[in-house]
Amino acid sequence: MATETVKLTLRLPADLHQRLTDLARRERRSLNEQLVRLLETHPDVEAMTMTMTETLADLTRSMIDEIQWYQARAHTRGALTAQEQQERAEYVASLPEPLRSIADALIREGRDSVLRALGPTTIGVYADDEAEVAIATWSVPAEVAAVVAEMEV
């Protein structure tokens, strides 16, 4: 991979600077290396290397599968473990908008909630299969609505 040198000045709040410095020290990196590592591994930066259409369609499928898995797990056990709740929260936090908000709504509404495509660029979350009125709706890229329509969740 080719690298390019870029010089910049960052003004960081003292607490953020301290957290980054501590993290870099724990991971045995310089502050510069740590900042580059965070940029390289952040999902939004990684997504810039793919086409937006591929990324959103794949992320939408993955998000639906993950949320359904956690909901089924909670249902069969009665609840998620603290670790599973933490993992789910971290996963949802890593999602770009509007997928993060959609995942939050599905989790909030529980196991019976369903996601439906309402048009070529609109989706909604419903309390259950019988509900006629959406709890929340989103205007989304066509790729996201197409995945929702194909998955019928």
Side-chain angles (χ1 to χ4, degrees):
M1 172 195 281
T3 61
E4 184 175 327
T5 301
V6 176
K7 293 184 180 196
L8 59 110
T9 302
L10 293 175
R11 293 177 189 227
L12 301 172
D15 63 324
L16 176 58
H17 181 265
Q18 186 61 53
R19 290 192 326 245
L20 285 169
T21 302
D22 292 346
L23 178 61
R25 189 175 303 117
R26 277 194 311 273
E27 296 189 8
R28 298 184 178 179
R29 294 187 178 109
S30 69
L31 182 57
N32 184 60
E33 290 169 328
Q34 188 62 45
L35 287 167
V36 170
R37 174 78 175 136
L38 290 170
L39 286 170
E40 287 175 339
T41 60
H42 192 279
D44 290 341
V45 174
E46 184 178 319
M48 290 188 315
T49 64
M50 300 179 241
T51 67
M52 194 59 152
T53 300
E54 291 171 337
T55 301
L56 283 176
D58 292 342
L59 280 175
T60 303
R61 282 184 195 88
S62 175
M63 181 269 298
I64 291 168
D65 288 343
E66 285 284 319
I67 298 305
Q68 285 180 333
W69 184 87
Y70 280 113
Q71 288 176 327
R73 184 101 169 161
H75 178 70
T76 57
R77 290 178 155 185
L80 294 176
T81 65
Q83 171 134 2
E84 289 168 337
Q85 289 177 16
Q86 179 66 29
E87 289 168 357
R88 180 182 67 185
E90 289 172 1
Y91 173 75
V92 170
S94 75
L95 294 169
E97 285 297 344
L99 298 181
R100 183 181 311 131
S101 297
I102 295 164
D104 282 337
L106 288 168
I107 291 165
R108 190 174 46 254
E109 294 308 317
R111 182 177 73 92
D112 294 330
S113 62
V114 294
L115 192 56
R116 295 183 190 143
L118 305 175
T121 60
T122 307
I123 62 172
V125 170
Y126 292 78
D128 57 38
D129 285 333
E130 306 296 317
E132 294 182 18
V133 177
I135 294 165
T137 60
W138 291 268
S139 180
V140 296
E143 297 79 12
V144 172
V147 168
V148 170
E150 88 184 25
M151 294 185 80
E152 299 255 334
V153 292

